[in-house]
């Protein structure tokens, strides 16, 4: 997983909707995050959260993954990228900041 920072990310403690319980489309809308399919096919790549200099947010996710995997990965990337309160990622997951 990757969290890319085009500019400083404001730290939020809790979104208006709950990170773990809200339906993902509602969560993405609340946080103003657009999901795009990634062309990366490496099985070890789960996605990337990118905040552009203009403040827009993108969640780039590989296509062809299960709904459960995409949902879980999206929530983990959002929590990490936005600095939200969330449990740490389980092994062997790692987040790289670039």
């Amino acid at each position: 997983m990757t969290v890319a920072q085009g500019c400083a990310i404001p730290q939020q403690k809790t979104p208006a909707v709950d990170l773990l319980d809200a339906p993902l489309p509602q969560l993405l809308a609340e946080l103003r995050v657009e999901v795009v399919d990634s062309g990366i096919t490496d099985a070890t790549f789960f996605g990337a959260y990118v905040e552009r200099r203009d403040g827009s947010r993108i969640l780039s996710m590989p296509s062809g993954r299960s709904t459960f995997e995409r949902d879980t990965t999206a929530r983990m990337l959002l929590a990490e990228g936005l600095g939200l309160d969330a449990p740490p990622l389980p092994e062997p997951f790692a987040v790289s900041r670039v």
Side-chain angles (χ1 to χ4, degrees), residues 5-55:
Q5 294 174 298
C7 62
I9 296 175
Q11 296 299 304
Q12 291 177 251
K13 289 300 173 193
T14 338
V17 293
D18 185 57
L19 177 69
L20 299 177
D21 293 328
L24 187 58
Q26 180 184 352
L27 182 63
L28 294 168
E30 174 76 21
L31 297 172
R32 295 186 317 270
V33 176
E34 176 187 1
V35 176
V36 297
D37 286 334
S38 170
I40 299 173
T41 58
D42 184 335
T44 64
F45 176 74
F46 288 87
Y49 170 85
V50 178
E51 184 164 334
R52 294 179 173 158
R53 292 188 193 279
D54 67 3

Side-chain angles (χ1 to χ4, degrees), residues 61-72:
M61 314 251 336
S63 57
R65 305 283 174 94
S66 73
T67 302
F68 175 78
E69 185 177 309
R70 283 178 66 96
D71 184 276
T72 304

